[in-house]
Amino acid sequence: MKYKLNIKRDVDIAGQWTEQPDYILNLPYGLRFSDDLVHVRGYDSMADLRDSAKRDVITCNCKDCLDGLADETYKLQHSAAEKRGAAETI
Ligand SMILES: [Zn+2]
């Protein structure tokens, strides 16, 4: 799975009104950084973050990711079923 940076969804800027803001990349479930078993990392600049998002992100099968993905799949199926149910009652 290739990671495509989604700034709106995955990036937080901590201390954005200070001189040293921290750009934090929160990887979605199923992905992690290649050099360590971590899913969140802070950067000094948006350029560093973009660079790292391109180079350092790999697929992750750790328990947290599997649980998270299972949960998301469940939620997706559940909401799809709800929509179908709602459509049928109309
Ligand atoms: Zn993981």
Side-chain angles (χ1 to χ4, degrees):
M1 177 160 50
K2 181 96 176 75
Y3 175 57
K4 198 168 174 311
L5 181 61
N6 183 331
I7 292 171
K8 223 173 152 180
R9 184 192 62 190
D10 301 337
V11 176
D12 285 329
I13 304 173
Q16 53 183 314
W17 311 117
T18 66
E19 266 176 52
Q20 286 283 318
D22 212 16
Y23 300 83
I24 299 159
L25 177 54
N26 302 287
L27 294 175
Y29 291 124
L31 295 164
R32 70 174 175 89
F33 293 100
S34 57
D35 54 348
D36 211 349
L37 216 174
V38 291
H39 307 81
V40 177
R41 186 163 276 178
Y43 301 89
D44 292 337
S45 74
M46 200 59 204
D48 286 350
L49 187 153
R50 282 177 192 281
D51 223 43
S52 178
K54 261 184 235 156
R55 284 178 319 177
D56 303 335
V57 179
I58 60 167
T59 304
C60 183
N61 297 312
C62 77
K63 192 176 178 311
D64 281 356
C65 283
L66 293 179
D67 286 352
L69 285 172
D71 197 45
E72 280 182 0
T73 308
Y74 170 81
K75 273 190 229 149
L76 281 176
Q77 284 167 350
H78 198 69
S79 74
E82 260 171 24
K83 273 182 209 144
R84 270 201 307 279
E88 277 160 16
T89 54
I90 292 168

